[in-house]
Amino acid sequence: MSREASATLHAGFIGVALIYEGTRMVDSSLSFYKSNQKSRIMDLARLANGFIAQLRSRTLILWLASVALMLFMLADTHAQAAPGTDAAAAPAGPPMKPPADLIATDSRWLYQTQGNDTALVFIHGIFGDTVGTWTNDKGKTFFEYAKDSPVGSKVDMFAFGFESNYVKSGSANIVEAANSLSAKLQALRVMSYRNVVLVGHSMGGLVAMRALVSNPELRAKVPLVMFYATPAEGAEIANVASLFLSNQALKDMNWADRNTFLQGLLQDWNAMKPRPKISCGYEVLPTKGVKVVTWTSGTRVCVDEPAAPIGGSDHISIVKPDRAQHDSLIVLINAMNRFVLSDPAARLVTPDFQQENGKYVYTLKGAQGQARIYNSSRAKVRYYIKDISDKGLYIVPDETPQMLEAYESKTLRINLLKEANLSEYSFVISNGTNEEKQVIVKVKPTLVAAAREQAARSYLTQLNTHLSDPVVSSRLSRLPSTSTEAQHETARVAYDVVSKNNPDLPVSARWVLAADTLSSTQFPDAAVIALKEAEVASPKTASAPAVQQLAGRVAAQAGTPVIFESVSTPAVPLKDSGFIFQKFDSKALDTGRKLSEQMKAIPALRAQGLQIEGDLRLSDGDRDGALKAYLEASTSVHTPGTQVRIEALDPAKTNTFNGRDATYFQTNQQRLQGGAIRQ
C-alpha cells in the first residue's frame, strides 16, 4: 500500500474514535436538557449551536473514516506482490523478462510461445496494477498457475494495465481504460492472434465489456470473456466511496438502477452481436466485513454456463490462487476447453461433399446448389473460402472469414453465373491453420442451361405482371424518358424473384444474382443498378472475383465504365462481354410480346421495349422488321446493346462501327443463320 494511502487510513481510524467521542457528548447534552426544564429555551439554543459545530467537525471525520474504509476494502493490496521484486516486475516461472523502464500499471507480455494462436489478456480492477492484482501473499501469480495448468501450453499471456490511483489525480475511468485496452492490444500485436480471451477482475470486467461493445474488430476475435467478481449491476461500496473520492471509475460502478453509465453499457452489451461466451466466478466471503460485489451483480451477465463460487475467496483473493486446483483456475480451464481450445479431431465437417481420392466432390444439379459446413468441435472456428478456380463460380457467403460457433452448421450457396460454361470447378475450404479441404464442383451443362432459361423466363413473366398493374403502369408512364426510376423498378422485380427462391441468402448476394439475371435477359442498365445495390448492402461483396467479372461484363454492355464506389470496375471489351441477342423460346414468346408493348408505353423504358420487339422479330426471321425496331430504339437511347444488333444486321446503318469490334461483329453475324438466332 502506498505511503499516501497509509497516512489516510491512519487518519481515518483516528476519525472513527473522534466520532465516538462526539456522539457521547451529544448524548450527554440531550440528557442535561431533559433534566432542566426551567431553562429549556436557553439550553436548546446552546445545544443547537454545539450540535452544528460538532456536525461540521463530524463531516470531516466521516470523510476521513469513509476514505480509509473504502481504501482498505477496495484496494488490490500491492503489498502482496512478490517480495523484493516490486509490483512492476513480471512473475517468475520463467516468464518473459519485462523492459527495465516499465512501471506497475504498464501493459506487458508475460509468456509467448511460437505457434500458439490464442492469447489470454488479464485486466485488473480499480486501484490495481498489472501484476500485483494477480499475485498472492507468497509472491506467486495467477499467471504461473495458469501456465502450469492443462491449457497453459496452448496459450500466450498478456497483462493489460491502466492508471488507477487512490487519491491523486490521473485515474482512468472505464471508457478511457477500454479505449486504452484496444490501443494496447493493437500496438503490442495481441490482435495478430486468432483468438483473444479477456480475463477481467472486478472493474476490469466492465473495461472488457466496454471495449467489446465499441470495437467490432476485437469482438470478432474474442470467443470467451472470463469475469471474476465483476459488478455488472454496480456495487454499494462504490456508491459510498464515490461520495468522498473524486474518481469517475467509482461513479461508473454505482448501482445500475441510478447509474446511466451502467444502464447504457448493459443495454449495448445485450444488443451486441455476435457476443462472446461468458464464464463467471463470484466471491463468497466478505472483504473486511463487507461483500464488495453481491452475487446478483457478479452474475448478472453470466448466461452461457452457471456462475461458479470461488471457494474461500473474498473480493481481493479471488484472483490470487494459492494452489493448482484453486477454484479460480478450474473455472478458467473448463471455460477454455469448452469455448476456445481445439478438439484433436477435424473441426470442419462437410456432409454434402463426397470424398474421392483425397478430395471432396459436389455435383451441381443446375445453376445453383447448397451444401452444409459444420463445426464439430466445442470451440468457435473461422473458415475461409479461397482458391476459386474460375470467376464464373460464385460462392456465398462471399465475405470470408466466417465464424462458426461450437457445433453450429451453416450453408454454402454455390452459384454459376452467366458466363460459367465449364464442366468442373474447384475451391478450397480452410480453417486458417492446418485444415484445408479442396472441393471439386462437377457440373452438367445441359442442366445449367435449362435452369438459366427457367430463371430468365420467371423474371420476364414477373416483370410483365408487374407492369400490367394499372397503378404501376400509370405511375411509370408519367416519368420523363431520362428518368432512372423505371430502371430501378425493373431491378427490384429481379431482386424479388431471386429473394422468393433464395430467402436465406444475404441481401448483397440476392442483388448479385438479380444483376446476373438482368444481364442474361438483356437489361444491362438495370443490372448496373442491382450491382450498386449489392455494394451498398455489403461493400466487400464488390471485391468478390465472380462479382468483379460480372461487373466488367455488365459495364461493357451498358456502356458504363464505373459501377462501384469502393473498388474499381474491370474494363472488359464489348466483344468479350458475352453479349447475345435475347432468345425467346416457344414458352416465352407470348410473354415477350406483352412485355414489349408494356415497356414501349413507358417513355423511360421505350428503348428496351423496342429492343425486345426487334429480338422477337428476329426470332421469327423478320430481319428488316428487327432492324427497324433497333434503329428506332437507338434514337431514344444510344446503348452498346442496340448498336451491336444494328451492326450485326447492317453495318452501313450504324454510325459507331469502325472496325474496332470486328471480331465481335463477325461472331454475331455467325449467330444469324437464315434469319434465326443460334446460341
Side-chain angles (χ1 to χ4, degrees):
M1 184 176 295
S2 68
R3 182 179 302 172
E4 180 182 36
S6 297
T8 307
L9 181 62
H10 181 67
F13 288 143
I14 294 173
V16 171
L18 290 175
I19 290 171
Y20 173 79
E21 181 63 23
T23 302
R24 188 188 64 78
M25 291 172 63
V26 172
D27 290 340
S28 176
S29 297
L30 288 173
S31 298
F32 176 79
Y33 166 72
K34 291 178 181 178
S35 64
N36 293 274
Q37 298 291 328
K38 293 181 180 179
S39 57
R40 60 185 181 279
I41 296 176
M42 293 298 295
D43 291 340
L44 181 60
R46 286 195 298 270
L47 179 62
N49 287 334
F51 181 77
I52 291 171
Q54 291 187 50
L55 182 62
R56 287 173 180 165
S57 65
R58 248 180 146 178
T59 300
L60 176 61
I61 294 167
L62 279 171
W63 184 87
L64 291 172
S66 298
V67 168
L69 188 60
M70 296 310 107
L71 295 176
F72 201 52
M73 289 191 295
L74 286 178
D76 294 336
T77 52
H78 302 170
Q80 293 179 349
T85 64
D86 182 53
M96 296 174 62
K97 186 176 181 180
D101 61 348
L102 285 184
I103 65 173
T105 55
D106 281 346
S107 302
R108 73 211 52 204
W109 277 105
L110 303 163
Y111 297 93
Q112 274 189 299
T113 304
Q114 187 174 4
N116 283 337
D117 62 359
T118 298
L120 284 181
V121 176
F122 294 86
I123 310 169
H124 66 76
I126 194 168
F127 305 146
D129 73 23
T130 315
V131 176
T133 293
W134 311 90
T135 306
N136 65 26
D137 57 3
K138 296 180 180 179
K140 191 166 183 178
T141 65
F142 190 111
F143 321 130
E144 293 175 75
Y145 285 112
K147 193 63 180 175
D148 292 337
S149 75
V151 303
S153 63
K154 302 175 184 178
V155 299
D156 291 348
M157 299 185 197
F158 178 87
F160 166 71
F162 58 93
E163 194 77 12
S164 185
N165 303 311
Y166 297 104
V167 178
K168 69 178 181 180
S169 61
S171 294
N173 61 36
I174 292 174
V175 173
E176 291 167 337
N179 292 341
S180 177
L181 173 62
S182 293
K184 295 288 177 62
L185 295 182
Q186 191 69 49
L188 299 180
R189 301 189 62 79
V190 183
M191 291 296 287
S192 66
Y193 283 71
R194 188 162 69 93
N195 294 315
V196 177
V197 175
L198 303 181
V199 181
H201 172 234
S202 190
M203 189 185 92
L206 300 179
V207 172
M209 291 174 66
R210 175 66 192 185
L212 289 166
V213 165
S214 59
N215 188 340
E217 183 182 1
L218 174 62
R219 189 161 66 241
K221 286 181 171 288
V222 176
L224 170 69
V225 181
M226 183 74 224
F227 291 145
Y228 292 103
T230 291
E233 290 186 344
E236 182 61 42
I237 197 168
N239 290 354
V240 177
S242 64
L243 296 175
F244 303 100
L245 293 179
S246 180
N247 187 313
Q248 183 59 47
L250 284 171
K251 294 180 174 63
D252 290 343
M253 290 189 290
N254 285 348
W255 278 121
D257 59 0
R258 53 182 180 269
N259 179 351
T260 56
F261 172 79
L262 270 188
Q263 291 172 11
L265 179 59
L266 287 171
Q267 288 176 358
D268 291 343
W269 179 263
N270 290 334
M272 183 175 66
K273 293 181 180 180
R275 190 168 61 228
K277 299 297 183 182
I278 305 164
S279 185
C280 294
Y282 60 89
E283 61 201 72
V284 297
L285 298 178
T287 304
K288 312 304 179 186
V290 175
K291 184 69 72 69
V292 176
V293 176
T294 64
W295 178 88
T296 302
S297 186
T299 62
R300 169 68 169 78
V301 295
C302 306
V303 296
D304 296 304
E305 59 182 1
I310 307 303
S313 70
D314 60 17
H315 188 73
I316 295 173
S317 64
I318 192 171
V319 290
K320 300 178 187 293
D322 58 3
R323 60 194 185 281
Q325 293 188 27
H326 194 271
D327 287 348
S328 61
L329 293 161
I330 298 300
V331 170
L332 179 62
I333 291 168
N334 287 340
M336 291 292 293
N337 283 330
R338 180 177 178 186
F339 297 123
V340 182
L341 299 178
S342 304
D343 286 344
R347 298 188 296 176
L348 294 177
V349 178
T350 50
D352 300 313
F353 300 154
Q354 304 298 318
Q355 289 197 52
E356 294 182 10
N357 301 320
K359 297 180 180 180
Y360 295 80
V361 177
Y362 179 78
T363 301
L364 192 62
K365 301 176 181 179
Q368 291 181 298
Q370 58 186 38
R372 292 165 292 169
I373 180 170
Y374 173 64
N375 175 14
S376 66
S377 79
R378 60 193 173 201
K380 183 188 299 186
V381 63
R382 291 175 176 83
Y383 72 88
Y384 302 75
I385 302 297
K386 64 178 188 176
D387 300 340
I388 299 175
S389 63
D390 186 87
K391 294 179 180 179
L393 180 63
Y394 178 49
I395 299 176
V396 180
D398 51 20
E399 299 178 35
T400 59
Q402 290 284 319
M403 186 69 70
L404 281 172
E405 299 289 342
Y407 310 115
E408 182 183 14
S409 177
K410 288 187 177 180
T411 300
L412 293 180
R413 303 285 182 145
I414 302 170
N415 308 278
L416 293 180
L417 300 185
K418 181 174 182 289
E419 291 306 301
N421 52 16
L422 303 177
S423 59
E424 189 172 291
Y425 300 84
S426 68
F427 64 93
V428 171
I429 303 174
S430 170
N431 69 357
T433 54
N434 57 359
E435 183 184 357
E436 291 190 347
K437 294 184 178 183
Q438 185 175 19
V439 179
I440 304 300
V441 180
K442 293 186 176 181
V443 176
K444 295 183 178 180
T446 55
L447 295 179
V448 172
R452 296 196 64 83
E453 286 184 9
Q454 177 59 42
R457 191 181 305 120
S458 296
Y459 168 63
L460 294 174
T461 300
Q462 187 59 39
L463 180 60
N464 181 60
T465 301
H466 183 71
L467 296 179
S468 298
D469 186 328
V471 175
V472 174
S473 60
S474 175
R475 173 170 52 81
L476 296 180
S477 296
R478 293 193 296 270
L479 297 173
S481 61
T482 56
S483 173
T484 61
E485 184 178 335
Q487 295 291 351
H488 277 273
E489 197 129 348
T490 59
R492 171 57 70 173
V493 172
Y495 174 84
D496 291 341
V497 171
V498 171
S499 298
K500 182 179 180 181
N501 296 326
N502 304 272
D504 297 330
L505 273 181
V507 170
S508 58
R510 297 185 205 182
W511 278 116
V512 169
L513 295 184
D516 186 53
T517 298
L518 291 162
S519 174
S520 300
T521 50
Q522 309 305 318
F523 290 94
D525 293 332
V528 169
I529 292 170
L531 287 172
K532 288 179 178 292
E533 292 288 348
E535 183 187 26
V536 169
S538 174
K540 290 185 178 180
T541 291
S543 300
V547 178
Q548 281 277 291
Q549 176 170 276
L550 174 60
R553 175 159 52 87
V554 168
Q557 295 170 358
T560 304
V562 177
I563 294 179
F564 300 126
E565 293 186 4
S566 60
V567 295
S568 61
T569 303
V572 175
L574 186 60
K575 64 183 179 63
D576 296 332
S577 69
F579 201 92
I580 61 172
F581 296 94
Q582 175 65 38
K583 179 182 178 181
F584 291 91
D585 57 26
S586 58
K587 297 179 181 179
L589 284 173
D590 187 53
T591 298
R593 293 189 182 96
K594 291 179 181 178
L595 184 60
S596 174
E597 295 303 317
Q598 293 283 357
M599 299 183 80
K600 287 193 297 181
I602 299 171
L605 298 176
R606 178 172 174 75
Q608 282 183 288
L610 287 166
Q611 185 173 288
I612 292 175
E613 179 186 342
D615 290 347
L616 286 165
R617 290 183 179 277
L618 197 59
S619 296
D620 290 337
D622 183 2
R623 295 169 62 94
D624 292 338
L627 180 59
K628 180 180 177 181
Y630 296 148
L631 288 170
E632 186 177 353
S634 68
T635 63
S636 300
V637 180
H638 194 73
T639 65
T642 304
Q643 290 305 313
V644 163
R645 286 164 166 80
I646 295 172
E647 291 164 7
L649 291 173
D650 189 348
K653 290 289 195 304
T654 178
N655 57 6
T656 62
F657 182 73
N658 57 13
R660 288 180 301 170
D661 292 320
T663 302
Y664 185 70
F665 165 65
Q666 293 171 3
T667 301
N668 277 281
Q669 274 196 322
Q670 293 170 4
R671 290 189 177 121
L672 301 172
Q673 188 175 34
I677 298 174
R678 186 160 59 90
Q679 294 281 3

